[in-house]
Amino acid sequence: MDNEFKTRLEKIESVLGRYLPKSADEKWAASSFGNIDACIGAPHFAQLLEPTRNLLELGGKRWRPLLLVLCAEMASRGDEKMTGNAYELTPLVEFAHTASLIHDDIEDSADTRRGKPAAHIAFGLDRALNAASWLYFQAVCCTGKVDADEGTKSALTGIFMEELRRLHLGQAMDIMWHRNPEMIPSADEYKAMVRNKTGTLARLAVKVGIIAGGAGTEKADEAGKIAEDIGTGFQIIDDVVNLTTGNPGKKRGDDIVEGKKSLPVLLHLESNPGDAEKLASLFRKAHDEGIDSPAVEEAISVIAGSGAIEKARKAGNAMIEEKSAALSGLFGTDGGNASILIGKLFASMKK
């Protein structure tokens, strides 16, 4: 990745580490919990820190907090105070993302994440669930630390809470469909689900970045609409990869096991509605027998046979290309180098 990205990512990691340290000290505890009983100590804080920190340390592209920073730079023309605020606000998006992954794996009964045991496997369901829920709230601590007026801080908190509500709405839609193999959403419903479940984090990143950069809520809303489509495009590509090479740290076709109604599935059924019962049966069998079930590869073969997987790939890439260009050009020549870097960021992520 570009050296300019590397420098920014190192700063982001430093901020994330302050708000989610490997071990708790008194200053961090007071900042996170206020005045608490003296008997509460490191072993208790570890119940929250270990499951969440473990996933954070397993990696991830960090493209959302990086996008937040670049949007702030673009909006502020590199103003150092505003850029500093942007770094301080990166936990909003990365902690929300990390918490949602832990909850996702619980809700999908997934065993692995990024090639390692999922948090609920490694730390227990109760501990993982509680720690992930806490991390959503821990993320908001950063808004009080930025060098901004109270109105701006309140606006940032309000945006974060609204986007979290949307994220959970999207997840609710996804759960409703994957629990019932016969329930097939429309392509529009699928895209609406993804715009909320996945697109909301991209939308959150750019809206926070634009406001941190001083451009105001109207410009932030405009950027958010663009960013949610970029997030949707990347989710479509992830759906495609799941049915082809397999996502990193996951086995090919685990979406079949989990009953996911991804875009390739929906595109196939649009042109082959008579396959609905057959695919529902294969989804049920894969769910019952697990990832090594022959039903997984049979379902993939059916979907691929219509060209639906490649059609979805083209749709996702076209969406990413079109919308990333729109975001890069949002401030015209005033966006400076940050505009160029936003384009380079998304180009580097294409699959």
Side-chain angles (χ1 to χ4, degrees), residues 154-284:
S154 178
L156 290 167
T157 301
I159 288 168
F160 176 74
M161 298 307 294
E162 180 177 85
E163 297 300 344
L164 276 194
R165 292 192 293 270
R166 288 183 175 186
L167 186 154
H168 284 79
L169 171 61
Q171 183 71 342
M173 295 169 73
D174 195 23
I175 291 169
M176 180 177 73
W177 299 329
H178 80 231
R179 281 180 172 270
N180 186 346
E182 285 78 20
M183 186 176 287
I184 307 296
S186 68
D188 285 345
E189 286 178 307
Y190 165 84
K191 290 174 185 176
M193 178 274 289
V194 175
R195 275 195 294 271
N196 286 289
K197 178 181 173 179
T198 306
T200 191
L201 293 175
R203 189 169 58 234
L204 174 64
V206 302
K207 288 175 75 171
V208 169
I210 296 292
I211 289 175
T217 56
E218 186 174 336
K219 205 69 170 177
D221 288 341
E222 182 183 355
K225 283 289 185 183
I226 297 170
E228 69 182 22
D229 285 338
I230 296 173
T232 299
F234 278 115
Q235 182 59 57
I236 291 170
I237 297 303
D238 277 351
D239 292 345
V240 167
V241 171
N242 186 278
L243 300 178
T244 52
T245 58
N247 298 105
K250 297 274 190 175
K251 288 189 177 182
R252 160 181 154 119
D254 66 337
D255 277 358
I256 302 293
V257 176
E258 293 167 10
K260 299 283 185 175
K261 308 305 192 314
S262 63
L263 188 60
V265 176
L266 301 180
L267 291 176
H268 175 82
L269 290 175
E270 278 186 0
S271 57
N272 300 272
D275 283 347
E277 186 176 339
K278 180 178 183 179
L279 281 178
S281 176
L282 290 171
F283 272 53
R284 280 194 299 271

Side-chain angles (χ1 to χ4, degrees), residues 4-5 7-13 15 62-80 82-91 93 204-210 212-213 335 338-339 341-342 345:
E4 292 178 278
F5 289 162
T7 300
R8 289 172 174 83
L9 287 168
E10 287 172 350
K11 292 181 181 178
I12 289 168
E13 290 300 323
V15 173
R62 303 284 194 267
W63 68 265
R64 296 169 188 86
L66 180 56
L67 178 61
L68 188 160
V69 169
L70 291 174
C71 282
E73 291 179 15
M74 183 171 64
S76 70
R77 303 183 189 183
D79 182 284
E80 289 187 7
M82 293 177 172
T83 302
N85 279 343
Y87 281 107
E88 196 70 23
L89 291 166
T90 53
V93 65
L204 174 64
V206 302
K207 288 175 75 171
V208 169
I210 296 292
S339 297
L341 289 176
I342 287 172
L345 170 64

Side-chain angles (χ1 to χ4, degrees), residues 98-108 128-134 136 168 171:
T98 301
S100 72
L101 293 181
I102 294 174
H103 281 170
D104 266 2
D105 288 339
I106 292 169
E107 291 159 355
D108 294 341
L129 183 62
N130 186 59
S133 297
W134 164 79
Y136 283 129
H168 284 79
Q171 183 71 342

